[in-house]
Amino acid sequence: QGRLVESGGGSVQAGGSLRLSCAVSGGTYTNSYMGWFRQAPGREREGVASISRNGSPTYMDSVKGRFTISRDDAKNTMYLQMNSLKPEDTGMYYCAAQDSSSWYSRSLRASEYNYWGQGTQVTVSS
């Protein structure tokens, strides 16, 4: 496995959009399911979206219809398109990966991931 590097965070007003990227440096995660997590100050890390090896996504309820997770294994990159952002979406966003023999597994549970990036900050103002 390589290193996971997030980018694309920033400050936007409510209703705006951001696209986060998670690039794999020095390795590959084609045999892994992957996910995006976020953590606000004073709160536990929560699973935002996850994508299986075959590209099947799952989302936490509060972002369904607004966020889209995708992966491009040829580019060793995972994405999170975030639209209609709300102040409650504010937090540090982390990408994560976990090896899996299954093409269908995915998870929104942080405890099931072994590989993590350093995070990128997203701030949404009202």
Side-chain angles (χ1 to χ4, degrees), residues 31-124:
N31 294 324
S32 306
Y33 58 83
M34 303 185 74
W36 285 100
F37 292 78
R38 68 187 182 193
Q39 188 167 18
R43 300 189 64 177
E44 292 188 356
R45 191 169 297 190
E46 58 183 359
V48 177
S50 177
I51 189 166
S52 66
R53 289 176 58 192
N54 69 354
S56 179
T58 188
Y59 302 93
M60 66 184 306
D61 287 344
S62 64
V63 307
K64 288 179 180 177
R66 300 189 298 121
F67 290 11
T68 302
I69 187 172
S70 62
R71 63 190 293 170
D72 186 339
D73 289 344
K75 295 182 178 180
N76 276 340
T77 304
M78 177 179 64
Y79 305 95
L80 185 68
Q81 178 67 44
M82 305 187 294
N83 299 327
S84 302
L85 282 161
K86 303 176 180 180
E88 51 264 43
D89 294 319
T90 294
M92 184 70 77
Y93 280 69
Y94 300 90
C95 68
Q98 176 57 37
D99 294 339
S100 177
S101 60
S102 170
W103 284 92
Y104 308 99
S105 294
R106 57 202 182 185
S107 177
L108 296 178
R109 298 176 63 179
S111 61
E112 296 187 9
Y113 289 82
N114 284 329
Y115 306 102
W116 291 86
Q118 294 301 305
T120 185
Q121 178 68 36
V122 171
T123 303
V124 185

